[in-house]
Amino acid sequence: MAHGLSPSSSFDQVFALCKRVFFWWKGIVKTHLGLKAFQPFNGVLAVGSSLSFLLALACAYSFLSPRVQQQADVAASYGPPVPNSSVVTDCNLFEGSWIQDQGYIPLYNSSLCPFAERGFNCLANGRKDQGYLRWRWKPKGCTIPSFNARRVLEKLRGKRIVFVGDSLSRTQWESLVCMLMTGVDDKRNVYEVNGNKITKRIRFLGVRFSSYNLRVDFYRSVFLVQTGSVPKRAPKRVKSTLKLDKMDDISNEWIDSDVLIFNSGHWWTPSKLFEMGCYFQVGGSLKLGLPINTGFKMALETWASWAASNLNTKRTTVFFRTFESSHWRSVSHILILTLCH
């Protein structure tokens, strides 16, 4: 945990929940989809969100090519190897740890990226320390070569990458776009497809790299499953429902993608559900006494079933981000944004 970071009680509740659900979930995704899961970053969120996706993307590249070229393609997506490093054919990129490296060069400057939200521009907002920029992922037994934006852009030419989830997914999306921007000469060729400014209130944001025919999209779906109105004869405390057996009504828009990254977890708390009058529903029945951890498990089962039935895994590589630290903390019961990209 970052120095001075004090997670809120809501985070503690959900983190405990996700630890219980994680081993169940791991079996579900491996059984249904053969998906990969990797370790979340429990240090500074700023580097954790952006670089943890870099790790996921590195693996995604290998799956976009024939199996026999997996490791070669991973290496080809990056720049020259770090001296004294070894990229071996049996390297498991999903097993390793985050290490501090004072010589590590940040992959982008958020002040120079038009797609970085003002609230997440730490340096521009006056943050003095820069230690949070010096973390990198180190797999066991090998080292990931340096990121090379131009090679990655070429690798992703003609592709569509889609992020689905909550604000943690959105900030990962922002980080990837900013990382790729460093490899583009004419920045005017990179734009949000609807001309929207980057904001948490929009359900869809898409950035197009026109020179590469590449799209990087984000869909806000904090629960992944569908929200509903109040059923007839529901108690007064029920203001809305979460349909655990139905995927979000925008899920069809995620199917036509080459790389698809999901996350969920931080909204599965009493303060975001029951205290707001949102209760679980299955079919036409309210489940007022259903615990949050059980509801989360049912939602993930719905997600896994949807993915297995609707996605062409010969084309689409799927990732589900495991739980990670929140980018909020509680001080005197006031939530303050403390860490950013």
Side-chain angles (χ1 to χ4, degrees):
M1 192 61 62
H3 177 68
L5 182 62
S6 175
S8 66
S9 59
S10 294
F11 170 78
D12 292 337
Q13 293 172 18
V14 178
F15 186 76
L17 155 65
C18 288
K19 284 181 68 176
R20 291 194 297 270
V21 172
F22 175 73
F23 292 105
W24 165 85
W25 163 80
K26 190 174 181 180
I28 286 288
V29 296
K30 283 188 175 180
T31 299
H32 286 267
L33 297 167
L35 305 188
K36 299 289 186 179
F38 55 92
Q39 195 173 323
F41 180 55
N42 290 322
V44 182
L45 178 67
V47 179
S49 289
S50 59
L51 296 191
S52 58
F53 174 69
L54 172 61
L55 173 62
L57 190 58
C59 298
Y61 301 154
S62 67
F63 282 98
L64 292 175
S65 299
R67 275 293 201 181
V68 295
Q69 294 295 323
Q70 279 187 7
Q71 299 300 330
D73 285 348
V74 170
S77 300
Y78 293 86
V82 177
N84 300 322
S85 68
S86 60
V87 180
V88 294
T89 56
D90 60 348
C91 177
N92 185 350
L93 298 179
F94 298 98
E95 292 188 3
S97 59
W98 291 97
I99 63 173
Q100 278 195 311
D101 183 352
Q102 295 305 313
Y104 183 79
I105 300 175
L107 299 177
Y108 67 92
N109 184 335
S110 56
S111 297
L112 302 178
C113 181
F115 301 102
E117 294 177 67
R118 173 68 181 179
F120 292 99
N121 191 341
C122 294
L123 297 178
N125 290 333
R127 181 164 179 167
K128 301 299 183 183
D129 68 291
Q130 297 186 24
Y132 67 98
L133 297 173
R134 307 297 179 182
W135 290 84
R136 65 179 175 87
W137 177 257
K138 176 63 174 69
K140 292 180 180 178
C142 62
T143 298
I144 300 176
S146 302
F147 181 79
N148 185 309
R150 291 183 186 274
R151 291 188 182 185
V152 173
L153 284 165
E154 284 294 342
K155 190 73 177 178
L156 295 176
R157 185 180 289 275
K159 305 295 184 181
R160 181 180 181 230
I161 300 173
V162 176
F163 288 81
V164 181
D166 55 29
S167 59
L168 295 174
S169 187
R170 190 185 73 252
T171 51
Q172 290 175 350
W173 169 82
E174 290 179 30
S175 291
L176 176 62
V177 171
C178 291
M179 287 160 60
L180 295 177
M181 282 279 288
T182 63
V184 177
D185 292 324
D186 189 348
K187 304 298 192 281
R188 294 172 297 179
N189 290 329
V190 184
Y191 53 88
E192 204 286 322
V193 295
N194 293 318
N196 291 317
K197 293 183 178 180
I198 310 306
T199 171
K200 64 182 180 181
R201 301 185 183 279
I202 298 179
R203 287 208 77 186
F204 166 75
L205 290 164
V207 170
R208 177 175 172 80
F209 292 75
S210 57
S211 299
Y212 295 89
N213 190 26
L214 166 66
R215 277 269 298 274
V216 185
D217 296 341
F218 166 72
Y219 289 87
R220 185 176 185 272
S221 179
V222 299
F223 297 110
L224 301 182
V225 291
Q226 193 175 132
T227 56
S229 55
V230 182
K232 293 181 179 179
R233 295 182 293 279
K236 289 184 178 181
R237 69 177 186 272
V238 179
K239 308 299 181 184
S240 63
T241 63
L242 201 59
K243 299 181 178 180
L244 301 176
D245 57 342
K246 293 184 179 295
M247 284 294 288
D248 195 319
D249 54 10
I250 59 172
S251 58
N252 285 339
E253 299 180 31
W254 313 335
I255 296 174
D256 183 26
S257 59
D258 297 283
V259 182
L260 186 52
I261 307 102
F262 293 92
N263 92 297
S264 188
H266 279 279
W267 283 63
W268 293 85
T269 67
S271 62
K272 297 289 189 180
L273 290 168
F274 303 153
E275 293 173 20
M276 299 294 292
C278 182
Y279 290 85
F280 299 135
Q281 180 178 349
V282 177
S285 302
L286 275 174
K287 302 296 181 181
L288 297 177
L290 193 70
I292 288 179
N293 60 334
T294 304
F296 188 27
K297 178 179 177 180
M298 293 175 68
L300 290 180
E301 288 177 330
T302 298
W303 166 80
S305 177
W306 171 87
S309 300
N310 290 277
L311 299 178
N312 177 8
T313 54
K314 291 182 178 179
R315 174 195 173 182
T316 304
T317 301
V318 184
F319 293 91
F320 194 107
R321 278 303 321 277
T322 52
F323 206 73
E324 64 181 58
S325 304
S326 173
H327 49 202
W328 300 88
R329 79 174 188 181
S330 178
V331 178
S332 300
H333 307 291
I334 299 175
L335 286 177
I336 300 175
L337 188 61
T338 56
L339 297 176
C340 41
H341 295 260

